[in-house]
Amino acid sequence: MNNQGLTTKQLLDSAGAGPLGLEKASEMAGKGGDDGLRFSFEYGGFLFAVFATSGEQNTNMRFHANLGSLPYTAENPHDRAHAMAVLRSASKALGGRVQLTPRQRILLQENITINEPLTPVMLMSRAAKLLVMAKPYLELLSEFVHPPLEA
């Protein structure tokens, strides 16, 4: 198993999710249980995790991504200043979805509720929509911050 696959497997194992397989088919059809559907994927060196639960006619989805750590001024003042400018722009454009933790980790988070049942098409289209909106900022940010999977 390659390094990225191992990282994804470790993330899923730590989140308590079992293997994704046929036992999740009922959830994907909008008939799922209470534990929800969890999966992760890598895009541009950034690791995204998705958790989705379904009700009778709605779907709750949480997207989380670790975008790396902001360099400290002593490490690289140029990269820090540029990364902060990208973060300000991304936060404005993405409606506050990009946040900086007190430990200088950059996170992308989104919680959404959709008034339709959970389906594979809906789940993938929402994930793709978030990536399309975030892509320019992810590309700019990777110029100044080392994506976690590339470090």
Side-chain angles (χ1 to χ4, degrees):
M1 182 178 295
N2 67 23
N3 200 18
Q4 291 175 351
L6 184 60
T7 303
T8 300
K9 182 178 181 332
Q10 289 170 343
L11 177 69
L12 288 172
D13 290 345
S14 69
L20 297 177
L22 294 177
E23 70 277 3
K24 297 289 184 183
S26 65
E27 277 184 41
M28 292 298 289
K31 304 172 187 162
D34 295 331
D35 61 339
L37 173 68
R38 300 170 196 265
F39 70 95
S40 65
F41 60 94
E42 181 266 335
Y43 177 78
F46 301 109
L47 185 62
F48 289 79
V50 180
F51 178 63
T53 58
S54 63
E56 287 186 28
Q57 286 298 315
N58 67 350
T59 299
N60 298 306
M61 296 176 14
R62 267 188 306 174
F63 295 90
H64 295 272
N66 177 2
L67 304 181
S69 295
L70 190 65
Y72 290 102
T73 305
E75 293 174 319
N76 192 331
H78 174 267
D79 284 357
R80 182 178 177 88
H82 283 84
M84 289 296 292
V86 172
L87 290 177
R88 280 191 295 277
S89 296
S91 186
K92 285 180 188 175
L94 299 175
R97 294 178 183 106
V98 179
Q99 301 165 352
L100 184 63
T101 70
R103 292 189 175 195
Q104 305 297 296
R105 282 186 49 207
I106 305 165
L107 303 177
L108 173 65
Q109 302 177 3
E110 180 168 38
N111 296 313
I112 58 174
T113 300
I114 303 163
N115 291 326
E116 45 184 276
L118 177 62
T119 64
V121 171
M122 187 269 299
L123 185 64
M124 292 298 116
S125 67
R126 289 298 172 149
K129 180 180 177 182
L130 178 63
L131 280 179
V132 166
M133 290 172 29
K135 181 181 177 181
Y137 302 101
L138 295 174
E139 290 175 353
L140 281 172
L141 194 60
S142 68
E143 298 282 325
F144 309 108
V145 174
H146 294 291
L149 295 179
E150 291 180 3

